[in-house]
Amino acid sequence: MAILASRRTIIAGAAAAATGLAMPAILRPAAAQGLAPTPTMRGGANNYRPGAALVERIGGGGFLMTGTVRRAGDGAPIRDARIQVWAHTTEGYESDPESHGATLTDADGAFRMEMPQIVPAFGQPHGHLAYDSDFDGAAFGTVFLRPVMASARDASLEAHFVLAPV
């Protein structure tokens, strides 16, 4: 049995939806309300280098690592968060000092790091990222991430941090 909505029901539903979207943000529940913190990846500190230098890019570039850093709970962007990036690339291994670099987030909590093409290590093309509060001076807990690429041919990878206060 097919259920058909009347024209009046469809118009009333559309009007209610439009009213909800037009409401000032202060009256709507925040989409990020209750945003859970990103769990740190077990073993994610593999080849991590405490205090890696802030750099414009790692090596010759050609691959782009991007992401965001937000505060748990309200999802507010975190400016000047220090994110370290490292990977096994066409120019070096994860353990090589020149395969590491750090960058800071912008006012929107976004970061980007150009680096050499990531290549598979242990069968998977992946990157490593860390937010380390010991080198950022912020009151958030350290988080390590290890995002895996869908394909070794991908030219970019993104990772998102939601940080919890310590």
Side-chain angles (χ1 to χ4, degrees):
M1 171 183 205
I3 299 175
L4 300 175
S6 71
R7 183 175 180 195
R8 179 177 284 175
T9 303
I10 292 171
I11 291 172
T19 301
L21 291 175
M23 252 191 289
I26 192 91
L27 299 177
R28 287 183 300 198
Q33 195 85 19
L35 190 62
T38 304
T40 194
M41 184 197 166
R42 197 176 87 190
N46 185 33
N47 292 312
Y48 168 71
R49 290 191 169 273
L54 288 171
V55 297
E56 290 294 316
R57 74 174 180 201
I58 298 170
F63 184 89
L64 188 59
M65 181 73 76
T66 62
T68 58
V69 181
R70 304 210 170 274
R71 184 174 54 214
D74 63 5
I78 299 175
R79 181 186 188 126
D80 294 329
R82 193 173 192 281
I83 302 297
Q84 183 180 153
V85 177
W86 70 100
H88 185 105
T89 71
T90 55
E91 294 180 15
Y93 298 104
E94 291 176 7
S95 58
D96 295 342
E98 58 274 4
S99 293
H100 292 250
T103 188
L104 299 175
T105 57
D106 63 16
D108 296 323
F111 67 87
R112 66 185 312 256
M113 175 66 75
E114 192 176 349
M115 59 193 298
Q117 178 67 41
I118 292 177
V119 295
F122 304 106
Q124 295 178 317
H126 63 277
H128 290 270
L129 298 99
Y131 168 80
D132 188 346
S133 60
D134 290 343
F135 294 91
D136 193 36
F140 300 101
T142 296
V143 176
F144 292 97
L145 299 178
R146 184 185 174 268
V148 176
M149 296 161 48
S151 166
R153 293 185 302 263
D154 291 348
S156 66
L157 185 59
E158 66 180 48
H160 303 281
F161 292 81
V162 179
L163 305 178
V166 289

